[in-house]
Amino acid sequence: FVLFVLVLSSMPSPLTAQEQCGIAERISHPVDLNLFELGQDYGIASPRHQGRFHTGEDYFIPGGRSTLGQPVTAAASGRVTFSSPRGWGRDGGVIIIEHTFPDGTVIYTQYGHIMESETVTFPSRLSCVEAGDVIAIIGESRPAPHLHFEVRVANPDVPGPGYSRQNPA
């Protein structure tokens, strides 16, 4: 029994996500706001979705410029908890990242309607990303290419659905 305790005490303790992936200082926009506009805001009821409320913000490039294929960056440093190029089926891929702040607060950011390219691949689950790392590109989605971006306090590995029957605001 004493030998077992000695062996356990000499083993390194598992690293927390914070120790592995660093501390998030702030949440930034995952797209360049000099190009992108907010298309649909958080908490807005959508007639297209039977009055359900939008759980994030949708960003697109106005004026006929192509949103499709534009880079999406990590909004803060953190650990990937979900990563799937088909996370929303025909509506594209989803990535969720866990962020730990200096006071120990943990939040999650979700990026939806995204895809990979020849030069950009999704980070793997449990990998670390730095703020500003390109994690995906904007993919095809209905009704037009855009990024769905959420900041959440729960559901670290549940993508979507992007709308809720209850107002999240």
Side-chain angles (χ1 to χ4, degrees):
F1 177 73
V2 173
L3 178 60
F4 180 70
V5 171
L6 276 172
V7 169
L8 283 179
S9 65
S10 66
M11 294 175 68
S13 62
L15 295 176
T16 65
Q18 178 178 339
E19 292 166 330
Q20 286 177 341
C21 299
I23 301 292
E25 298 299 322
R26 67 187 192 109
I27 299 292
S28 298
H29 287 92
V31 292
D32 182 352
L33 293 183
N34 292 315
L35 297 173
F36 284 79
E37 276 187 13
L38 182 63
Q40 185 176 18
D41 207 350
Y42 172 75
I44 301 298
S46 172
R48 205 173 126 237
H49 292 92
Q50 300 79 41
R52 290 181 288 166
F53 298 93
H54 198 229
T55 57
E57 297 177 334
D58 285 349
Y59 289 95
F60 76 105
I61 298 177
R65 295 188 56 203
S66 181
T67 302
L68 181 65
Q70 293 292 321
V72 176
T73 61
S77 297
R79 180 177 65 164
V80 176
T81 60
F82 185 89
S83 180
S84 173
R86 301 299 305 156
W88 271 351
R90 71 179 185 169
D91 282 330
V94 177
I95 295 172
I96 302 173
I97 303 173
E98 175 186 69
H99 310 280
T100 303
F101 288 84
D103 67 356
T105 300
V106 174
I107 64 147
Y108 303 90
T109 53
Q110 176 180 289
Y111 313 77
H113 304 308
I114 54 178
M115 66 184 194
E116 298 178 305
S117 72
E118 290 180 13
T119 58
V120 177
T121 58
F122 282 20
S124 60
R125 185 176 176 274
L126 301 180
S127 66
C128 297
V129 295
E130 296 290 325
D133 284 354
V134 175
I135 57 172
I137 61 173
I138 295 176
E140 294 280 359
S141 59
R142 297 170 289 156
H146 65 279
L147 172 69
H148 177 88
F149 177 64
E150 293 185 19
V151 177
R152 17 160 99 175
V153 295
N155 299 324
D157 54 5
V158 180
Y163 290 89
S164 170
R165 296 205 183 281
Q166 294 185 348
N167 191 339

